[in-house]
Amino acid sequence: MNNFTYYNPVRIVFGRGSIAQLQQLVPTNPKILLVYGGGSIKHNGVYEQVQAALNDHDVIEFAGIEPNPLYETCIKAADLVKQEGVGFLLAVGGGSVMDATKFIAAAAAYTGADPWDMVLKKAPVTDALPLGCVVTLPATGSETNINAVISRASTAEKIPFKSPLLYPQFSILDPDTTFSLPQRQLANGIVDTFVHVCEQYLTYDVHAHLQDRQAEAILLTLIQEAPKLFGPDDDYDVRANLMWCATQALNHNLACGVPMDWSTHAIGHELTAACGIDHARALAIVMPALLDHQRVPKADKLLKFAHRIWGITCTDTNAAIDTALQCTRKFFQDLGMPTRLSDAHIPSTVIAKIANRLGQRCPHIGEHQNLDTKAIRAILEATI
Amino acid sequence: MNNFTYYNPVRIVFGRGSIAQLQQLVPTNPKILLVYGGGSIKHNGVYEQVQAALNDHDVIEFAGIEPNPLYETCIKAADLVKQEGVGFLLAVGGGSVMDATKFIAAAAAYTGADPWDMVLKKAPVTDALPLGCVVTLPATGSETNINAVISRASTAEKIPFKSPLLYPQFSILDPDTTFSLPQRQLANGIVDTFVHVCEQYLTYDVHAHLQDRQAEAILLTLIQEAPKLFGPDDDYDVRANLMWCATQALNHNLACGVPMDWSTHAIGHELTAACGIDHARALAIVMPALLDHQRVPKADKLLKFAHRIWGITCTDTNAAIDTALQCTRKFFQDLGMPTRLSDAHIPSTVIAKIANRLGQRCPHIGEHQNLDTKAIRAILEATI
């Protein structure tokens, strides 16, 4: 097991009716900026619950955060924060809104020339406004960590960004908010969660047995609960389990003492930046091909994955891995995911562009730093 | 799944050589009180590592915290804190030292007449000194929560105590510190951890599937790793897994959204207070008998425990539970634990005293509040 530090001070408030607790959780003195997306919260009752809880607070709003939130949009919100003297940010939405709010919190307090430097050049985040979240779409785990992913329209880039100053003070998760979500968004969230776990689990063995089993706990729960969605067994508890899986997948507990491989996300971000495909759909295409390509260095963990997650008892390593990857693809497909570029109507001409761009920015990715431009191209070519 | 709030701001620093990080983690301005036990840290190199890391700090010491730490001892340390103007407490040891340090932190800041009121009468803890931990014995999980258990010699009482003001600022866990521990203490730690998990897992089903699997992750890791201790496969990773299991068992993540049953601990504390038996040994005697007694209300979870932890596929409920309890007892026995009062040379005459005393203090314990004096007596009589 590798050495590690774990620290996560986010207060999680989980369950039916929990949005009302905003009244106590949001500070009363500063002006609040309520940040949200395309307005779905105005149709599903969440907006009214937030307004009712913040009845005694001084709240202004910034709407219109898009999926894959744009730098250009966030900068407008950061300007509003400065103009209005906002002192606390409340994100109400899914990963895009939470990620955008994190960047707004840092950008509004940034004293350098260009806030994009914090993303592209990893310029240090030296200050940030406090923030809290109301999660309406379980997926990214952004509610419980310091990470965000920001896109820039003018350059078609999508790049991760993080700072220890960006822990939400609290995150409220009410599984009832998920009942108004379309199937596509729920499916995206499940696949995003599944891949978050795999990127912390499917590397090489460092005898971190508890962490392996904790990763498996989430994968097994997703596989058990996801098929119930929209069927006769769909209920509050199904939603609650899927929502809690998403949070637990990326609170960094799984990352304790183990190597990680975020190359599926790195390649997936490029695919989304280039083609506009949903984040989770990009991951569903990339991950099985990447695991197939890396089956030798990842063999120990892939065999564990085959045995414990998919119940595969076959003793031939390659056959077991093949079957495990087939099961994984089928799980994604049953959720309506594409698992090939052609399923998503993405032309193979995009491959060279993605591989070259990522290869330039991050010449070596993966837990062994062994994925270069050529390897990324090979992985994507296997998804045609 | 039940509603819940989860908050745990303890910074965990885990791994080989991590004690050196005290230099950065302990604040430099206030005077530090180093709290420890019977002096084993002076023989295993831990004391020297702490001293070296705190070379630039102003440190005084309080030694002599006993197993099942005594109120009478803690009060002497609290007096020293006040006399010397100590501003930060550093616990170096196992659960007893950490628990004592938490009580000292609260007692030194207590403004009421008698600090024991915080324990016995649950008088509010209104202030506490900041504290940090260096864990040398994985067992109680005290390094990652707000709980402590304090005993009072003059009244032969052992009572839990807690406050949100008592989160350690940090806890350092170096698995290498465990190599000097005697087998008995390591075995105690494993059983304590196992029972902590069971008291959060073996209640009734609320469809918290992820939490069930997270509990199982710890139990399966303990069962896999514990037999390696002192054998040819014993190594740093075995120690690291067991140490991380102990912390993860009681950081309250498992408690999210589920009912809990702390009655094995409640009865076990009385047994220790009355007879001086090691905490974990008391638990090893009580828990199997308690689960047996509560097999009807706990049936769903006991069957899951039988199937997923012990691989029992038998479809007869009572037979499956019987076998699961046999496996549990054998696991404890293989670690050198007693599983009956007679194994520990405890006379059955103690039963009435324990049942009456606990029945008076807590007339109804268990997740259904259905264990009264009579039930406690029946459970203990089954352990004769």
Side-chain angles (χ1 to χ4, degrees):
Chain A
M1 195 185 301
N2 300 339
N3 283 8
F4 64 87
T5 295
Y6 183 76
Y7 173 67
N8 192 326
V10 181
R11 185 180 301 273
I12 301 287
V13 180
F14 190 104
R16 181 165 274 164
S18 53
I19 294 174
Q21 293 194 42
L22 280 174
Q23 187 173 21
Q24 294 82 44
L25 291 166
V26 174
T28 43
N29 280 335
K31 187 178 280 192
I32 313 300
L33 181 66
L34 171 61
V35 182
Y36 59 99
S40 62
I41 63 167
K42 292 204 171 168
H43 305 298
N44 60 12
V46 171
Y47 183 82
E48 285 76 6
Q49 289 182 63
V50 171
Q51 286 291 340
L54 297 180
N55 195 27
D56 295 331
H57 291 70
D58 181 9
V59 183
I60 63 171
E61 298 184 13
F62 185 91
I65 303 294
E66 52 281 289
N68 305 306
L70 292 175
Y71 167 78
E72 290 86 345
T73 307
C74 293
I75 283 298
K76 288 181 199 163
D79 287 343
L80 181 67
V81 165
K82 289 186 273 190
Q83 281 163 26
E84 295 282 340
V86 166
F88 189 91
L89 304 179
L90 181 64
V92 181
S96 297
V97 172
M98 294 186 279
D99 283 11
T101 303
K102 288 177 181 174
F103 182 69
I104 296 164
Y110 191 64
T111 54
D114 182 0
W116 185 245
D117 287 349
M118 293 186 289
V119 181
L120 188 66
K121 300 179 182 172
K122 307 303 173 203
V125 178
T126 52
D127 197 9
L129 270 78
L131 64 101
C133 302
V134 176
V135 185
T136 60
L137 171 56
T140 69
S142 187
E143 66 274 14
T144 188
N145 63 44
I146 62 173
N147 305 326
V149 186
I150 303 297
S151 297
R152 187 159 188 169
S154 62
T155 53
E157 289 172 302
K158 180 176 178 179
I159 304 177
F161 153 76
K162 68 179 176 180
S163 163
L165 297 173
L166 295 174
Y167 282 109
Q169 283 190 356
F170 62 82
S171 286
I172 292 178
L173 297 101
D174 181 347
D176 274 335
T177 62
T178 70
F179 282 104
S180 60
L181 288 170
Q183 189 155 8
R184 182 184 181 113
Q185 287 195 350
L186 279 164
N188 282 351
I190 291 162
V191 171
D192 198 16
T193 302
F194 194 97
V195 176
H196 287 158
V197 176
C198 290
E199 301 232 60
Q200 298 166 89
Y201 169 50
L202 295 176
T203 58
Y204 55 92
D205 190 7
V206 293
H207 310 292
H209 304 295
L210 176 57
Q211 292 89 321
D212 285 353
R213 290 194 186 274
Q214 289 173 323
E216 292 154 8
I218 299 178
L219 297 180
L220 290 167
T221 306
L222 291 174
I223 291 166
Q224 175 186 295
E225 297 300 296
K228 297 179 186 170
L229 282 173
F230 300 103
D233 295 328
D234 190 6
D235 63 9
Y236 174 86
D237 285 328
V238 170
R239 306 305 179 109
N241 275 283
L242 293 172
M243 199 166 209
W244 192 224
C245 279
T247 300
Q248 292 275 294
L250 213 50
N251 64 3
H252 295 312
N253 195 53
L254 297 183
C256 289
V258 300
M260 291 189 283
D261 171 17
W262 289 101
S263 48
T264 290
H265 267 74
I267 302 170
H269 287 332
E270 294 294 335
L271 201 52
T272 295
C275 311
I277 184 174
D278 294 1
H279 172 59
R281 286 161 186 260
L283 303 178
I285 292 170
V286 173
M287 193 179 79
L290 185 139
L291 295 176
D292 195 353
H293 185 271
Q294 292 292 295
R295 66 168 61 209
V296 174
K298 290 179 186 290
D300 289 342
K301 287 297 191 81
L302 284 172
L303 283 174
K304 202 176 254 191
F305 176 66
H307 177 58
R308 293 188 182 168
I309 302 302
W310 299 114
I312 298 161
T313 52
C314 157
T315 53
D316 179 85
T317 299
N318 273 319
I321 293 173
D322 284 341
T323 311
L325 295 182
Q326 282 164 19
C327 291
T328 306
R329 281 199 178 93
K330 181 164 188 317
F331 177 67
F332 292 167
Q333 288 159 356
D334 288 347
L335 285 163
M337 292 287 131
T339 58
R340 300 199 161 275
L341 287 178
S342 50
D343 296 339
H345 311 293
I346 294 174
S348 59
T349 49
V350 81
I351 291 175
K353 181 182 165 188
I354 288 174
N356 289 335
R357 188 165 193 169
L358 184 56
Q360 276 182 337
R361 185 178 298 126
C362 310
H364 304 284
I365 57 174
E367 70 273 27
H368 298 290
Q369 302 286 295
N370 64 337
L371 297 184
D372 55 10
T373 304
K374 191 177 156 197
I376 295 165
R377 192 180 301 127
I379 289 164
L380 286 170
E381 280 170 355
T383 70
I384 291 172
Chain B
M1 194 185 301
N2 300 341
N3 283 7
F4 63 88
T5 294
Y6 182 76
Y7 173 67
N8 191 326
V10 182
R11 186 180 301 273
I12 302 287
V13 180
F14 190 104
R16 182 164 272 165
S18 54
I19 294 174
Q21 294 193 41
L22 279 175
Q23 187 171 22
Q24 293 82 45
L25 291 167
V26 174
T28 44
N29 280 336
K31 187 179 281 193
I32 313 299
L33 181 66
L34 171 61
V35 182
Y36 58 100
S40 62
I41 63 167
K42 292 203 171 169
H43 305 298
N44 61 12
V46 171
Y47 182 82
E48 286 76 7
Q49 290 181 63
V50 171
Q51 287 290 341
L54 297 180
N55 194 27
D56 295 332
H57 291 69
D58 182 9
V59 184
I60 62 171
E61 298 184 12
F62 185 91
I65 303 295
E66 52 281 290
N68 305 307
L70 291 176
Y71 167 78
E72 289 87 346
T73 307
C74 294
I75 284 298
K76 288 181 197 162
D79 287 343
L80 181 66
V81 165
K82 289 185 275 189
Q83 283 162 25
E84 295 282 339
V86 165
F88 189 91
L89 304 180
L90 181 64
V92 180
S96 296
V97 172
M98 294 186 279
D99 283 10
T101 303
K102 288 177 181 174
F103 182 70
I104 295 164
Y110 191 64
T111 53
D114 182 359
W116 184 243
D117 287 348
M118 293 186 289
V119 180
L120 189 67
K121 300 180 183 171
K122 308 302 173 203
V125 178
T126 51
D127 196 9
L129 270 77
L131 63 102
C133 303
V134 175
V135 185
T136 60
L137 171 56
T140 68
S142 188
E143 65 275 12
T144 189
N145 62 44
I146 62 173
N147 304 327
V149 186
I150 303 297
S151 297
R152 187 159 188 169
S154 61
T155 53
E157 288 172 303
K158 181 176 179 181
I159 304 178
F161 154 74
K162 67 179 176 179
S163 162
L165 296 173
L166 295 174
Y167 281 110
Q169 283 191 354
F170 62 81
S171 286
I172 292 178
L173 296 103
D174 181 346
D176 273 336
T177 62
T178 70
F179 282 104
S180 60
L181 289 170
Q183 190 155 7
R184 181 183 181 111
Q185 287 195 351
L186 279 164
N188 282 351
I190 291 162
V191 171
D192 198 16
T193 302
F194 194 97
V195 176
H196 288 158
V197 176
C198 290
E199 300 232 59
Q200 297 166 88
Y201 169 50
L202 296 177
T203 57
Y204 55 92
D205 190 8
V206 293
H207 310 291
H209 304 295
L210 177 57
Q211 292 89 321
D212 285 352
R213 290 194 185 275
Q214 289 173 323
E216 292 154 8
I218 299 178
L219 297 180
L220 290 167
T221 305
L222 292 174
I223 291 166
Q224 175 186 296
E225 298 300 297
K228 297 179 186 170
L229 282 174
F230 301 103
D233 295 329
D234 190 6
D235 64 9
Y236 174 85
D237 285 329
V238 171
R239 305 304 179 110
N241 275 283
L242 293 171
M243 198 167 211
W244 192 223
C245 280
T247 301
Q248 293 274 295
L250 214 49
N251 64 4
H252 295 312
N253 195 52
L254 297 183
C256 289
V258 299
M260 290 189 283
D261 171 17
W262 289 100
S263 49
T264 289
H265 268 74
I267 301 170
H269 287 333
E270 294 295 336
L271 200 53
T272 295
C275 311
I277 184 174
D278 295 0
H279 172 58
R281 286 162 187 261
L283 303 178
I285 293 169
V286 173
M287 193 179 79
L290 185 137
L291 295 176
D292 195 353
H293 186 271
Q294 291 293 296
R295 66 168 61 211
V296 174
K298 290 180 186 289
D300 289 342
K301 287 296 192 82
L302 285 172
L303 283 174
K304 202 175 254 193
F305 176 66
H307 177 59
R308 293 188 182 169
I309 302 303
W310 299 114
I312 297 161
T313 52
C314 157
T315 54
D316 179 85
T317 299
N318 273 320
I321 293 173
D322 283 342
T323 311
L325 295 181
Q326 282 164 19
C327 291
T328 306
R329 281 199 178 94
K330 182 164 189 315
F331 176 68
F332 292 168
Q333 287 159 355
D334 288 347
L335 284 163
M337 292 286 130
T339 57
R340 300 199 161 275
L341 287 177
S342 50
D343 295 340
H345 311 294
I346 294 175
S348 59
T349 49
V350 81
I351 292 175
K353 181 180 165 190
I354 289 174
N356 289 335
R357 186 164 194 170
L358 184 56
Q360 275 182 336
R361 185 179 298 126
C362 310
H364 303 284
I365 58 174
E367 70 273 27
H368 297 290
Q369 302 286 295
N370 64 337
L371 296 184
D372 56 10
T373 304
K374 190 178 158 197
I376 294 164
R377 192 179 301 128
I379 289 165
L380 286 170
E381 280 169 355
T383 70
I384 292 170

